[in-house]
Amino acid sequence: MARIFTLIFMWLLLLFTNLLSAQTMQNFSLSGSIKSDNAEQMEINLLDADNKLIKTEIADSNGKFGFNDLKGGTYHLKINKNGSEVYHSDNISLAENTTLPSIDLNTKSIEGVTITKARPMIERQDGKMIMNVENSIASTGNSAFEVLEKAPGINIDNNDNISLRGKGNLLIQIDGKNTPMTGSDLANYLKGIPSSTIDKIEFITNPSSKYDAAGSSIINIKLKKEQRKGTNGSISTSLGTGKYVKNNNSFSINHRNKKINIFGNYSFAYREAYNGLVLDRNFYENNNFKKAYVQDNYLKFRFNSHVAKAGMDYYLNDKNVLGFSVGLVSNKFNVNGDNSNVTLGSNRLPESTFTTVNTSNDRWTNLSFNLNHKYTIDSLGSEISTDFDYINYANSSLQSFDTRTHQITDGTDNLEIIKGDMDGKLNIYSLKSDLTKNLKNEWKLETGIKTSFVKTDNDLKFFNASSGSLIPDLSKTNHFIYEENINAVYGNVSKKWDKFKATAGLRMENTNVKGTQLTTNQVNKRNYTQLFPSAIFSYDLTDKSNLEINLSRRITRPSYNQLNPFKFYLDPTTLKAGNPDLNAQTTMNYELTYSLSNKYFATLSYSKTSNNITDILKPVVENGQVVTVQTIENLNSVSYFGLYLIAPVKVTQWWDMNNSANFYYGSYTGNVSGTQINNKGNFTFNINSINSFKLGNGYTAELAGNYKAKEVYAYLDMSPNWYLNIGAQKKFKNNSILKFSFTDMFFTSNIKGQTVYNDYLENFAVKRDTRVVTLSYTYNFGSSKNGQPRKTGGAEDLKQRVGN
């Protein structure tokens, strides 16, 4: 507790010092007027030299407008009418109170000219790559998981682990808040979020010290939130079919005036999907073949998901804004599986067979509440923001495994029935406060403090029902409680010169964890404090080209369930288990990025990870039987070298290409299951191209393709794959859009690979319901006056780490 009070005192002292400095700054005003028949409908946006929005005003009935409390510097104006830009000023040098000459805008010419600049599919802003999902026709009718699966630079393995440009252990966020799962649990959660609710996906490969230090990189899925003034919203529905049916529906509404902004959205999705997995597992002893399992697994999923969010921002005055939001995610899915197995003996002849029929009724519920306040110090972006978050996750699962075994040698049969009942609870409390302060001579300070408390309780019960009654199976039953407290303080300082900009930051995080396995009374405690530096150096080589150097240190803590040692049986030969001895991994990231015209990008990157958290499959002997365990262990180190390229091409006036390519080499060193690897890896690449065609009269079309070359990931070799998507849309005059998409046309995006250890060899092939035809309709209604969005939420480092 003393640490917390010390951190709070340090931050308050720093805050008080900077508030005093605010009083000594000299501020100016900028005013003007617009000549137009409808001047009061004009929206005037003030931007600084970096094209950052400073403030927005609405002209009065006489066309007058004004901005106060401005620091001296260079600015420019953009004037919008009905959401379209109608005027863009030259640079304005502000060194005293200034009144601009009258801006003459002819109403008729404004009405006759509509400037519509669609966001590109892929763009780079403020050190992060952005994929604008709303502009993707091929994303229509999909889930968040399927959109992410086909994003440039993304790979997903057979266990649903997500990697970005070859680097795993990512931090996956929804609106800046971490998702509470990894692996298959995260995949099932994302499959319940319709793509129609997604605005864009941000890929932050080298976050600054302002961000929580968790995760090697950050993927932030930003959901749609209406910001236009007035009352507006949208209704969307889609119907798709692959092997099974998929239906997404969403509704959003927003009302904004001078004092309040009220928003709400709701979506419902019903989706059926499948996962087919073919396995060939071979066990050896001293290089001599001993046994093999040849398996064919088929799982069918049915998802019923509800996603709702509502909130309000209240503008008390020009300085203070209060806000709150509540969210609910309910994802109910049923799983029906069939698993057939043939066991081969040392002579490679069948010895026995078994079939397992498994059913599972699962439900994930997420309730979140956020209360936030923002105090504006001046009009230059200086502000204090405070967030309190409470997040609750609850999950339950009722499982049944019926296994019939037949011994070929003696003709005997056996039936084993296992029942499982799992309940999980997670509560997160988070409080953070951030100060952003613009100082004299282009200096900027960012500092903040954060504390969070987490408690998760997983209770797993298994019963043997083979005799007709439920008999507790203590070898599989487990009860695990995990408690965590993280305290953090950070500071960033930046300075901008004519062509050069530098930012340096340092974050300190104190972590206190306790894991208790109640069934064995095993307790694991860990306490540690670490520093996480970051720096960005940017230099404008010319008016159109820029060079940026970016470095940061990151940490990935084990997920809450990755530390849980309970055993979860998938079939008689396969089980999942956590590892309470896992250590957190740490990574140093370095990037060098060259940009041209803010369109073409080339990024060289290098990272070094210690104690890399790695999902593995390994053979073990349990009760005299050789089985395969899916678990997690630390590798000694991982080195990564990469080159990432983005090159959009305007082929003709009606044909645009967004191309990206990632070339990288990952090198892995460690020892798992008696198998030592030293600098094992390969050179590999991923190429993505999205082609957009403007056909006229409101019609557009899209063709997207992706190729992933062979990749070696520690003990796992992934085979190459590729896919091709097509789509088309029609925009109507009533603000509605009709979309058609056909994803993975040739059914080629499925995963194949091989896992190799000294005494174990596994070949696998995964098939999912990826070839889907979808038809979607969206209707937008309401005002088109733009507002300025607010970012809220303080639980950015916690919710990733709940699942396996």
Side-chain angles (χ1 to χ4, degrees), residues 612-627:
N612 188 74
I613 298 174
T614 307
D615 284 83
I616 63 168
L617 289 170
K618 68 176 185 178
V620 299
V621 177
E622 185 174 89
N623 299 324
Q625 177 80 4
V626 180
V627 298

Side-chain angles (χ1 to χ4, degrees), residues 131-149:
M131 177 181 176
N132 292 305
V133 175
E134 190 175 18
N135 295 349
S136 172
I137 300 173
S139 297
T140 301
N142 289 330
S143 67
F145 178 81
E146 291 160 324
V147 172
L148 194 59
E149 188 176 30

Side-chain angles (χ1 to χ4, degrees), residues 559-770:
S559 74
Y560 309 130
N561 276 356
Q562 283 177 338
L563 295 167
N564 187 349
F566 73 77
K567 297 176 180 178
F568 181 80
Y569 288 80
L570 304 177
D571 61 56
T573 67
T574 311
L575 61 92
K576 293 171 66 176
N579 181 359
D581 296 322
L582 276 178
N583 294 311
Q585 73 170 42
T586 55
T587 303
M588 280 299 304
N589 293 320
Y590 306 87
E591 287 188 349
L592 174 65
T593 299
Y594 173 78
S595 62
L596 178 64
S597 301
N598 203 30
K599 291 172 56 180
Y600 307 97
F601 302 94
T603 299
L604 281 170
S605 58
Y606 168 75
S607 67
K608 178 77 171 183
T609 300
S610 300
N611 292 322
N612 188 74
I613 298 174
T614 307
D615 284 83
I616 63 168
L617 289 170
K618 68 176 185 178
V620 299
V621 177
E622 185 174 89
N623 299 324
Q625 177 80 4
V626 180
V627 298
T628 302
V629 178
Q630 179 182 328
T631 187
I632 313 97
E633 294 196 11
N634 291 110
L635 288 183
N636 290 348
S637 65
V638 174
S639 297
Y640 170 90
F641 307 85
L643 171 63
Y644 187 61
L645 303 173
I646 293 181
V649 178
K650 191 169 188 62
V651 183
T652 67
Q653 287 296 109
W654 49 270
W655 180 5
D656 291 301
M657 297 176 64
N658 280 283
N659 306 303
S660 65
N662 187 40
F663 305 90
Y664 60 96
Y665 178 85
S667 177
Y668 303 88
T669 297
N671 190 301
V672 173
S673 191
T675 304
Q676 177 69 38
I677 54 174
N678 295 304
N679 300 317
K680 183 181 179 182
N682 75 320
F683 169 80
T684 186
F685 62 92
N686 176 284
I687 298 175
N688 185 277
S689 180
I690 302 173
N691 299 262
S692 301
F693 307 93
K694 299 175 184 177
L695 306 180
N697 198 28
Y699 287 96
T700 56
E702 183 177 286
L703 174 66
N706 183 283
Y707 177 80
K708 299 175 184 177
K710 176 184 177 181
E711 179 179 5
V712 176
Y713 185 86
Y715 301 93
L716 175 66
D717 291 6
M718 301 286 291
S719 299
N721 64 27
W722 61 278
Y723 66 78
L724 195 67
N725 303 332
I726 62 171
Q729 74 174 22
K730 164 67 175 177
K731 290 187 177 181
F732 299 94
K733 293 183 178 180
N734 66 347
N735 290 326
S736 65
I737 302 174
L738 183 66
K739 293 183 180 181
F740 164 83
S741 68
F742 188 3
T743 60
D744 196 12
M745 293 175 57
F746 301 102
F747 203 40
T748 51
S749 67
N750 296 298
I751 301 170
K752 295 180 181 179
Q754 185 178 79
T755 300
V756 181
Y757 294 95
N758 285 343
D759 292 321
Y760 181 72
L761 171 65
E762 174 184 294
N763 295 290
F764 64 86
V766 181
K767 286 189 176 181
R768 298 190 178 103
D769 202 4
T770 56

Side-chain angles (χ1 to χ4, degrees), residues 467-535:
S467 62
S469 59
L470 296 179
I471 301 174
D473 189 337
L474 299 181
S475 67
K476 299 180 177 66
T477 296
N478 190 279
H479 191 178
F480 184 73
I481 296 176
Y482 180 86
E483 298 168 283
E484 176 185 86
N485 163 235
I486 299 176
N487 306 295
V489 61
Y490 77 90
N492 279 338
V493 178
S494 63
K495 164 68 174 172
K496 189 176 187 304
W497 292 268
D498 183 29
K499 292 187 176 183
F500 181 71
K501 183 177 181 181
T503 301
L506 181 65
R507 186 179 187 91
M508 180 177 70
E509 292 192 352
N510 166 250
T511 304
N512 308 278
V513 299
K514 177 182 177 182
T516 304
Q517 190 179 0
L518 296 183
T519 51
T520 62
N521 294 319
Q522 180 182 354
V523 178
N524 291 80
K525 290 184 178 181
R526 294 186 184 179
N527 303 281
Y528 51 91
T529 300
Q530 292 191 336
L531 298 177
F532 302 94
S534 67

